Amino acid sequence: MGKNSKVNIWVLVTGLAIGIASLVLTAMGNPKNMGFCIACFVRDIAGATGLHQAAVVQYVRPEIIGLILGSFIMSLATKEFKAKAGSSPAVRFILGACVMIGALVFLGCPLRMVIRMGGGDLNAFVGLAGFAIGILIGIFFLKKGFSLKRNYAVTATEGFAMPFSAVLLLVLVIAVPGIFIFSEKGPGSMHAPLFVSLGIALVVGALAQKSRVCMVGGMRDAVMFRDFNLLSGFGVIFVTILIGNIILGNFHGFSTYLQPIAHASQLWNLLGMVIVGWGSVLLGGCPLRQLILSGEGNGDSAVTVFGMLVGAAFAHNFKLAGSAASLAEDGTYSAGGIATTGKVAVAIIFVVLILVSVLNLPKIEKKTK
Amino acid sequence: MVDARGLSCPVPVVMVQKAVNAEKPNELEVLVDAMVCVENITRYASSQGYTVDVKEVDGGEFLMTLKKA
């Protein structure tokens, strides 16, 4: 098999932009190792709108709004904006929720996983192992013919649903911020100025639309087609963050101990990211990619993002999310981890992923028709 | 002819890969409806020694003709 090594320059540019943007956003106020995190930021929006009541993670993150609108504007400019929907929307909603819960068990989406790796967080490397395992499981089913079936051209209103929601959220947070709940302490209270976050995310969203950057697509394409195009973006983000952290003096070696907003309960770091990898392969893209697709008119991805929002709310309402490692004032160290409810949720999600994977294989599907 | 319209990543490339591996065709037509699929299939096809010709048919659909170089 010939090597497929052609790398799109836009992927490298986008990787570099995401890396720098993440460093800048953290320097300007975002939580440590959380310049960008799709899972965390969607979760914060769920909190700000009262879908969950976890007091430390409530903020209307302009990054999410900016990514959607950046993609929307770029896709209009390149005439790629197309309203499409109808590819197993309810299953996608549930998968979106599952991926979100898996990400919050680990404490980060694949993007934050790479950012944490570049910040010296060894727990994130365990997450990476889980992510790779999840992707391999997903690839197994793709090779067997797994598909959520095709989408269809629909009216433009479907395509505008997510960009409209993003604009509405932006207008409301600027005009009447009082209707939202904002954290007074914890990660939700830490954020770069609104217009800085928004501006940076607009640029990143536009670049991500143009380059199709996708965290899960990188490993998937490398394994399936020996296509290293998207994986190069993954690599550039890691290297940019690592070098940036070293230059800024934020890098203190690799360790699992007391990493920012992370826990050292390794089995659950691993399993959380297995879910994210597997679920994202079934969806056809990581959480970042779903946001970008929702901006370019894909109604199925919009439904997936709404599923992520509900999954985030459930993750906190039912205490499924991981709790971060902490050091008490008397010096007692807690490695953090997952409550029993979270462990049960992980088990249930594995059953869901197996069912979705198997029931959408060609042979099974013929029998059920 | 492979009809991969409306399918999400990377199913269209998997379909082309299956057709290429099974029949080793000298020529293969693929119908897709997203630019991202055109790009992905083009990268895969060129790695397998095919040249790719893309024609936009109607309503944003693309007919790709893969020919063994």
Short mmCIF file of all heavy atoms in Angstrom, two decimals, chain A residues 1-32:
data_model
loop_
_atom_site.label_atom_id
_atom_site.label_comp_id
_atom_site.label_asym_id
_atom_site.label_seq_id
_atom_site.Cartn_x
_atom_site.Cartn_y
_atom_site.Cartn_z
N MET A 1 0.84 -1.21 0.00
CA MET A 1 0.00 0.00 0.00
C MET A 1 0.87 1.25 0.00
O MET A 1 1.82 1.36 0.77
CB MET A 1 -0.90 -0.01 1.24
CG MET A 1 -1.92 1.11 1.21
SD MET A 1 -2.84 1.14 2.75
CE MET A 1 -4.28 0.23 2.29
N GLY A 2 0.56 2.14 -0.90
CA GLY A 2 1.37 3.36 -0.98
C GLY A 2 1.08 4.28 0.18
O GLY A 2 -0.01 4.26 0.73
N LYS A 3 2.03 5.06 0.55
CA LYS A 3 1.80 5.98 1.66
C LYS A 3 1.03 7.19 1.19
O LYS A 3 1.19 7.66 0.08
CB LYS A 3 3.14 6.41 2.27
CG LYS A 3 3.61 5.39 3.27
CD LYS A 3 4.54 6.04 4.27
CE LYS A 3 4.94 5.01 5.32
NZ LYS A 3 6.16 5.34 5.99
N ASN A 4 0.17 7.65 2.06
CA ASN A 4 -0.67 8.78 1.73
C ASN A 4 -0.24 9.92 2.61
O ASN A 4 -0.82 10.20 3.64
CB ASN A 4 -2.13 8.38 2.02
CG ASN A 4 -3.09 9.39 1.43
OD1 ASN A 4 -2.67 10.44 0.97
ND2 ASN A 4 -4.34 9.05 1.46
N SER A 5 0.84 10.59 2.23
CA SER A 5 1.47 11.50 3.17
C SER A 5 1.20 12.97 2.86
O SER A 5 1.74 13.84 3.51
CB SER A 5 2.96 11.23 3.21
OG SER A 5 3.47 11.35 1.90
N LYS A 6 0.36 13.23 1.85
CA LYS A 6 0.11 14.63 1.51
C LYS A 6 -0.58 15.32 2.67
O LYS A 6 -1.64 14.90 3.11
CB LYS A 6 -0.79 14.71 0.29
CG LYS A 6 -0.03 14.92 -0.99
CD LYS A 6 -0.99 15.27 -2.11
CE LYS A 6 -0.41 14.85 -3.44
NZ LYS A 6 -1.41 14.86 -4.49
N VAL A 7 0.03 16.38 3.17
CA VAL A 7 -0.56 17.08 4.29
C VAL A 7 -1.00 18.46 3.83
O VAL A 7 -0.26 19.19 3.18
CB VAL A 7 0.46 17.18 5.45
CG1 VAL A 7 -0.01 18.19 6.48
CG2 VAL A 7 0.66 15.81 6.09
N ASN A 8 -2.24 18.77 4.16
CA ASN A 8 -2.81 20.05 3.80
C ASN A 8 -2.21 21.14 4.70
O ASN A 8 -2.24 21.04 5.92
CB ASN A 8 -4.33 19.96 4.01
CG ASN A 8 -5.05 21.21 3.60
OD1 ASN A 8 -4.48 22.29 3.55
ND2 ASN A 8 -6.32 21.04 3.32
N ILE A 9 -1.70 22.19 4.09
CA ILE A 9 -1.05 23.27 4.84
C ILE A 9 -2.02 23.90 5.85
O ILE A 9 -1.64 24.31 6.94
CB ILE A 9 -0.48 24.34 3.87
CG1 ILE A 9 0.31 25.41 4.63
CG2 ILE A 9 -1.55 25.02 3.06
CD1 ILE A 9 1.68 24.99 5.01
N TRP A 10 -3.32 23.91 5.50
CA TRP A 10 -4.32 24.51 6.40
C TRP A 10 -4.44 23.75 7.71
O TRP A 10 -4.75 24.33 8.75
CB TRP A 10 -5.69 24.57 5.71
CG TRP A 10 -5.73 25.61 4.64
CD1 TRP A 10 -5.73 25.43 3.29
CD2 TRP A 10 -5.75 27.04 4.84
NE1 TRP A 10 -5.75 26.63 2.64
CE2 TRP A 10 -5.76 27.63 3.56
CE3 TRP A 10 -5.75 27.85 5.97
CZ2 TRP A 10 -5.78 29.03 3.39
CZ3 TRP A 10 -5.77 29.23 5.80
CH2 TRP A 10 -5.78 29.80 4.52
N VAL A 11 -4.19 22.45 7.66
CA VAL A 11 -4.25 21.65 8.89
C VAL A 11 -3.14 22.10 9.84
O VAL A 11 -3.35 22.27 11.04
CB VAL A 11 -4.12 20.15 8.58
CG1 VAL A 11 -4.06 19.33 9.86
CG2 VAL A 11 -5.29 19.68 7.72
N LEU A 12 -1.94 22.32 9.27
CA LEU A 12 -0.81 22.75 10.10
C LEU A 12 -1.07 24.15 10.66
O LEU A 12 -0.84 24.43 11.83
CB LEU A 12 0.48 22.74 9.27
CG LEU A 12 0.84 21.40 8.63
CD1 LEU A 12 2.11 21.51 7.80
CD2 LEU A 12 1.02 20.32 9.70
N VAL A 13 -1.59 25.04 9.78
CA VAL A 13 -1.90 26.42 10.21
C VAL A 13 -2.94 26.38 11.34
O VAL A 13 -2.81 27.08 12.35
CB VAL A 13 -2.41 27.26 9.02
CG1 VAL A 13 -2.93 28.61 9.49
CG2 VAL A 13 -1.31 27.44 7.98
N THR A 14 -3.97 25.55 11.18
CA THR A 14 -5.02 25.47 12.19
C THR A 14 -4.47 24.92 13.51
O THR A 14 -4.79 25.44 14.59
CB THR A 14 -6.18 24.58 11.70
OG1 THR A 14 -6.61 25.05 10.42
CG2 THR A 14 -7.35 24.61 12.66
N GLY A 15 -3.64 23.89 13.41
CA GLY A 15 -3.03 23.33 14.62
C GLY A 15 -2.22 24.38 15.36
O GLY A 15 -2.34 24.54 16.59
N LEU A 16 -1.45 25.14 14.61
CA LEU A 16 -0.64 26.21 15.20
C LEU A 16 -1.54 27.27 15.83
O LEU A 16 -1.30 27.72 16.96
CB LEU A 16 0.24 26.83 14.11
CG LEU A 16 1.32 27.81 14.56
CD1 LEU A 16 2.38 27.10 15.39
CD2 LEU A 16 1.98 28.49 13.34
N ALA A 17 -2.59 27.65 15.11
CA ALA A 17 -3.51 28.67 15.60
C ALA A 17 -4.21 28.21 16.88
O ALA A 17 -4.33 28.98 17.84
CB ALA A 17 -4.55 29.01 14.53
N ILE A 18 -4.64 26.94 16.91
CA ILE A 18 -5.32 26.42 18.11
C ILE A 18 -4.34 26.43 19.29
O ILE A 18 -4.69 26.83 20.40
CB ILE A 18 -5.86 24.99 17.88
CG1 ILE A 18 -7.03 25.02 16.89
CG2 ILE A 18 -6.29 24.34 19.19
CD1 ILE A 18 -7.60 23.65 16.53
N GLY A 19 -3.11 26.00 19.02
CA GLY A 19 -2.09 25.98 20.08
C GLY A 19 -1.84 27.36 20.66
O GLY A 19 -1.90 27.57 21.88
N ILE A 20 -1.60 28.33 19.78
CA ILE A 20 -1.32 29.70 20.23
C ILE A 20 -2.55 30.29 20.91
O ILE A 20 -2.46 30.90 21.98
CB ILE A 20 -0.86 30.58 19.04
CG1 ILE A 20 0.50 30.08 18.53
CG2 ILE A 20 -0.77 32.04 19.46
CD1 ILE A 20 0.98 30.73 17.24
N ALA A 21 -3.72 30.08 20.29
CA ALA A 21 -4.96 30.62 20.86
C ALA A 21 -5.16 30.10 22.28
O ALA A 21 -5.52 30.85 23.19
CB ALA A 21 -6.14 30.21 19.99
N SER A 22 -4.88 28.82 22.46
CA SER A 22 -5.07 28.22 23.77
C SER A 22 -4.13 28.83 24.81
O SER A 22 -4.53 29.11 25.94
CB SER A 22 -4.83 26.71 23.64
OG SER A 22 -4.86 26.13 24.89
N LEU A 23 -2.88 29.05 24.40
CA LEU A 23 -1.91 29.66 25.33
C LEU A 23 -2.32 31.08 25.69
O LEU A 23 -2.26 31.49 26.85
CB LEU A 23 -0.51 29.67 24.69
CG LEU A 23 0.13 28.29 24.48
CD1 LEU A 23 1.30 28.38 23.50
CD2 LEU A 23 0.61 27.72 25.82
N VAL A 24 -2.78 31.84 24.67
CA VAL A 24 -3.18 33.23 24.89
C VAL A 24 -4.40 33.29 25.81
O VAL A 24 -4.45 34.08 26.77
CB VAL A 24 -3.49 33.93 23.54
CG1 VAL A 24 -4.14 35.30 23.76
CG2 VAL A 24 -2.22 34.08 22.71
N LEU A 25 -5.39 32.43 25.53
CA LEU A 25 -6.62 32.45 26.33
C LEU A 25 -6.33 32.08 27.79
O LEU A 25 -6.91 32.66 28.71
CB LEU A 25 -7.67 31.49 25.73
CG LEU A 25 -8.29 31.98 24.42
CD1 LEU A 25 -9.13 30.88 23.76
CD2 LEU A 25 -9.16 33.22 24.67
N THR A 26 -5.42 31.13 27.99
CA THR A 26 -5.07 30.77 29.37
C THR A 26 -4.34 31.94 30.04
O THR A 26 -4.63 32.29 31.19
CB THR A 26 -4.16 29.52 29.38
OG1 THR A 26 -4.86 28.48 28.69
CG2 THR A 26 -3.87 29.07 30.79
N ALA A 27 -3.43 32.58 29.30
CA ALA A 27 -2.70 33.72 29.87
C ALA A 27 -3.65 34.85 30.21
O ALA A 27 -3.42 35.62 31.14
CB ALA A 27 -1.63 34.20 28.88
N MET A 28 -4.76 34.96 29.47
CA MET A 28 -5.69 36.08 29.69
C MET A 28 -6.83 35.72 30.63
O MET A 28 -7.75 36.51 30.80
CB MET A 28 -6.22 36.58 28.36
CG MET A 28 -5.09 37.16 27.51
SD MET A 28 -5.69 38.12 26.13
CE MET A 28 -6.31 39.57 26.97
N GLY A 29 -6.77 34.54 31.22
CA GLY A 29 -7.77 34.27 32.26
C GLY A 29 -8.44 32.91 32.25
O GLY A 29 -9.02 32.50 33.25
N ASN A 30 -8.40 32.19 31.12
CA ASN A 30 -9.04 30.86 31.11
C ASN A 30 -8.30 29.93 32.09
O ASN A 30 -7.12 30.13 32.37
CB ASN A 30 -9.00 30.26 29.71
CG ASN A 30 -10.17 30.75 28.84
OD1 ASN A 30 -10.85 31.71 29.20
ND2 ASN A 30 -10.40 30.09 27.73
N PRO A 31 -9.00 28.89 32.59
CA PRO A 31 -8.36 27.98 33.55
C PRO A 31 -7.13 27.30 32.94
O PRO A 31 -7.01 27.18 31.72
CB PRO A 31 -9.46 26.94 33.83
CG PRO A 31 -10.73 27.60 33.45
CD PRO A 31 -10.40 28.52 32.33
N LYS A 32 -6.25 26.81 33.82
CA LYS A 32 -5.00 26.18 33.36
C LYS A 32 -5.28 24.96 32.50
O LYS A 32 -6.19 24.18 32.80
CB LYS A 32 -4.18 25.75 34.58
CG LYS A 32 -3.35 26.87 35.16
CD LYS A 32 -2.42 26.34 36.23
CE LYS A 32 -1.67 27.51 36.88
NZ LYS A 32 -0.99 27.07 38.11
#
